[in-house]
Amino acid sequence: MNQIDIKIGSKIKSFRQKLGLQAKKLSEQIGISPSYLNLIESGKRKIDGDLVLKVCKELKIELSDL
């Protein structure tokens, strides 16, 4: 993983936590497993463009926020 993947994952986690949204709920909303979301948030898995857009929509943030 590169630094960008790690930063995006940690920002997703931060925005999710600020909303008080549990990882399980967000993962259901975007159509992935909670364990996969955990891997993304910890920077151990890459996130593709479509999934980034789904995350932004659910967290009510702009793509530039990530």
Side-chain angles (χ1 to χ4, degrees):
M1 290 297 107
N2 62 36
Q3 287 300 107
I4 292 172
D5 297 317
I6 294 169
K7 286 182 182 179
I8 287 175
S10 65
K11 286 185 178 184
I12 289 171
K13 184 174 184 176
S14 176
F15 281 114
R16 177 180 61 75
Q17 290 175 333
K18 284 179 186 174
L19 289 175
L21 189 61
Q22 292 186 356
K24 183 178 180 187
K25 181 69 174 170
L26 178 60
S27 65
E28 289 172 358
Q29 292 171 330
I30 61 176
I32 62 172
S33 70
S35 59
Y36 189 67
L37 177 60
N38 181 273
L39 291 172
I40 291 170
E41 288 183 345
S42 63
K44 295 178 182 171
R45 288 283 185 263
K46 291 185 178 187
I47 183 169
D48 67 35
D50 289 337
L51 198 52
V52 169
L53 295 176
K54 286 180 183 180
V55 168
C56 288
K57 180 181 175 187
E58 293 301 326
L59 296 179
K60 298 171 180 57
I61 60 173
E62 297 293 323
L63 184 58
S64 60
D65 293 330
L66 297 177

